[in-house]
Amino acid sequence: MKERIEICLSGSGGQGLILAGIILAEAAGIYDGKEAVQSQSYGPEARGGASRSEVVISNNTIDYPKVIKSDILLALTQTACDKYVKNLNKDGILVADSTLVTEVPNISNKIYLFPIAETAQKKFGTKLVTNIISLGIIVGLTEVVSQEAIKKAVCFRVPVKAKEVNEKALLLGFDIAKDLKTKK
Amino acid sequence: MNNLKKKKNIKLLQGNEACAEGALLAGVKFFAGYPITPSSEIAENMARKLPKIGGKFIQMEDEIASMAAVIGASIAGLKSLTATSGPGMCLKQENLGFAIINEIPCVVVNAQRGGPSTGLPTKPSQGDMMQARWGTHGDHPIIALAPSTVNEILTLTIKAFNFSEKYRTPVILLLDEVIAHMREKVEIPAPENIEVINRKKPTVPPEEYLPFKPDEDGVPPMANFGEGYRYHITGLIHNYKGLPTSNSQEIDAFIRRLHNKIQKNIKDIIIYEKYSLDDAKIALIAYGSVARAAERTVKLAREEGLKVGLLKLLTIWPFPFEEVNRLAQQVDLIIVPEMNLGQIVLEAERAAQGKCRVVPYGRVDGELINPIEILGKIWEEIRK
Amino acid sequence: MKTVINNYIREGMFPNIWCPGCGNGIVLGAIIRAIDDLNWDKDKIVAVSGIGCSSRITGYVDFCTMNTTHGRALPFATGIKMANPDLKVIVVMGDGDCSAIGGNHFIHAARRNIDLTAIIINNMIYGMTGGQYSPLTPTGKFGSTAPYGNIDQSFDLCELAIAAGASYVARGTVYNPRQSTSLIKNALDKKGFSVVEIISDCPVSYGKMNKMKSPVDMLKWIKDITVSKKVWEGLSPDEKKEKYAIGEFLSKDRPDYTELYEEIIKKAQERGGNK
């Protein structure tokens, strides 16, 4: 794996992308013992509006803390996809919600599409776990952090009451990743 | 028993959280503030944590009142903190001056966002560097520190408190939205591994106490209100007794002493880091989150065979004049990338005294400067 | 002749900066007598003021004293009181200081009901800067910035304090120093935010511009425009416009802010942890 990996989680406010970024950074930094930085860009809205959470993971000290060219891009809205796909590395991968991102960009990258939010609603009765399923998919596809680490990080960051459902959502994400990989 | 194997306390902390942690380690017991993006998490952390240690938190009606309450609490004996951003920093200026003239220790955090005015509430800027220096009126000294990592936010917050107590002065901690909101791995030091400085107390009985008579180091010992030393504090220029004076000799001596107590101790106060400067022919001078872009630029430039180094400033005020002057004698070019259209570059130019070319590189669109564009600037200057 | 006053002043600071006939000295005397009656420890008293003639009072009294910035005395005092609730904190302000530039701090200190005593010397004018009108200058009166008469409606500071949540509210005058002393004493003794407005005279600025050239004229005027609370209640709305009620308007018990914060400390510590 590359020395420095840059991940961009994009969508709109309220989709839990900032929390997802924090969990990913915590998995890498605290539980996998690497270096990790999470940062974000957001508008004045608490809900809606563009939202972007960035995570940089490295085996060495991280100087520049932001994404220069993303290796992994998660897009949970069409607007976010259109905006951030331009900044995706040539050999980077795109994970997008197939219901929310209907116009899939015409790029040569590895693209993984799945109706994440819809599945969250169907399986768990809430779209709130869309972010955690997405993390499961990303980790399942890329091993950017270990599965053990992301499990611990999810449990540490989500409220006690929501622990079980989030753990299940994460595991579901791993399974989805397996399917997506075999389909390729 | 098991001291050697003590587990390190490593956490993923947000910059603002690290500031609160640093303040607690430094002994903060009072916070007064007013909500403002991107600094509010400092207040939220303080509201949660201060009462746990018997400290006090209060949300005041505005930033003017917050600054006043912080000074009041400090005079009554508690180490005090406030945090804000540009619009609030404007309001703090009035009583910041009061803290300076009365030599009241306190720490003021400015998590910089775009300005002027309401500007860019959720986006970073380094537009308040000169405000930190000259924001409050009158001829005054100030100490201002600018961390560039979450870890440095923690350590420099402790430093800020220590400087404020040691030199009896408010200290400004300049963050920017990027590092204030960024989360990063931080090793929280054990309290026994931290140097914590507390204000000097008077050693004379109350009847002999002259509250503004300096010791040899230029700093007068400070009695807290309620400890049996009754004295007067005024925003007017005052004599050793703390009473207003119109004696021109006393006025002159007072203002000079305020400046000198900082200026004489710049060796202690000025902190910076050097990256690849030994053989450098081109130097970048940067601070805050931009210093991290610059650090990356140095690596990229070296890969392209350019002898580039970085002087990362952690103390902004007083400005490291001597260090920059020495650097200007060594290199052919200094570039100062900053998220403004040229503030610290002016100081760098002054310090360089014409010994090398000093050029600004500014970005003011609310995005952090990236390493590639600084590299582009280097090539542009080389080709000139 | 040494009096009780001498036990509480910084004699080296006299003569004071106030003009002959100024009411500030009467208020200073009333404050000192009230404190003496309460027999408080001088080491535990903090007096805080803002900017203006009245604010010089803190320089003359032998406590821990602080002459702060214009309008900001209350938030400074709030910080002191929060940091050390054992201290008795007295805040002396002028009318412009308290109700114009410091108006926001005034209502919020009252809202919190923090245990401070605010004494407002109301001479209805900015005296130190030369007689500009203040938010307490009556409508129709003259000031250096109201050369054609003041069109502003003035605040009733006591009503404002009551509405904002103060625990104790009273008004006295420099014409009635004994009453003022006792009102101040009650205020000092009251837990919570207590307010005493003292109507005072500024013969040099207010008097000169409003046809009352001597201090005696001004004191007579103060006597004429004030009536007891009881009399005031019987006046018609039109008559009330011309008069000020004096006396005690409110004295109620409500938890003070520093006590409430002690409860917060308990709650936070019971919950434990460092999260």
Side-chain angles (χ1 to χ4, degrees), chain A residues 4 22 25-26 29-30 33-38 40-43 52 62-66 68 157, chain B residues 10-12 37 122-123 177-178 181-185 292-293 295-296 299 367-372:
Chain A
R4 174 184 165 116
I22 296 169
E26 203 144 52
I30 306 297
K34 295 184 177 180
E35 293 300 323
V37 184
Q38 181 272 338
Q40 60 225 2
S41 170
Y42 63 104
R52 179 178 96 216
I62 295 167
D63 42 38
Y64 187 65
K66 293 247 178 194
I68 302 171
R157 280 284 167 176
Chain B
I10 295 174
K11 282 186 180 164
L12 186 81
T37 305
T122 61
K123 292 181 186 296
E177 191 276 336
V178 175
H181 277 164
M182 176 195 292
R183 285 176 180 81
E184 208 162 6
K185 236 167 96 169
R292 303 180 65 159
E295 203 186 320
R296 184 60 177 267
K299 289 174 197 157
E367 297 290 334
L368 174 59
I369 295 178
N370 73 51
I372 318 277

Side-chain angles (χ1 to χ4, degrees), chain B residues 133-134 138-141 254-264:
Chain B
R133 179 65 192 89
W134 296 113
D139 195 23
H140 64 276
F254 176 75
I255 295 294
R256 285 179 194 279
R257 179 176 67 74
L258 281 188
H259 284 259
N260 285 340
K261 73 175 179 182
I262 305 295
Q263 206 51 41
K264 275 187 183 164

Side-chain angles (χ1 to χ4, degrees), chain B residues 48-49 51-52 54-57 59-61 64 68-69 72 75 94-95 98 226 229-235, chain C residues 10 43-44 62 64-69 72 75-76 79-80 82 105 108 112 261 268-269 272-275:
Chain B
R48 206 165 57 242
K49 291 180 176 172
K52 286 184 189 294
K56 312 279 173 77
F57 168 91
Q59 185 167 305
M60 295 298 287
E61 53 273 20
I64 299 172
I75 291 167
E94 176 188 31
N95 289 328
F98 188 87
Y229 293 80
R230 298 192 302 273
Y231 65 101
H232 190 52
I233 289 178
T234 172
Chain C
R10 294 180 173 131
D43 286 343
K44 299 292 174 196
D62 184 23
C64 288
T65 54
M66 214 167 146
N67 174 205
T68 69
T69 44
R72 319 301 179 205
F76 277 97
I80 293 169
M82 281 288 279
H105 308 309
H108 286 280
R112 290 186 194 102
Y261 200 84
Q269 292 182 345
N274 191 32
K275 274 198 85 177

Side-chain angles (χ1 to χ4, degrees), chain B residues 362-376:
Chain B
R363 184 163 179 176
V364 287
D365 63 350
E367 297 290 334
L368 174 59
I369 295 178
N370 73 51
I372 318 277
E373 57 185 316
I374 304 175
L375 185 62

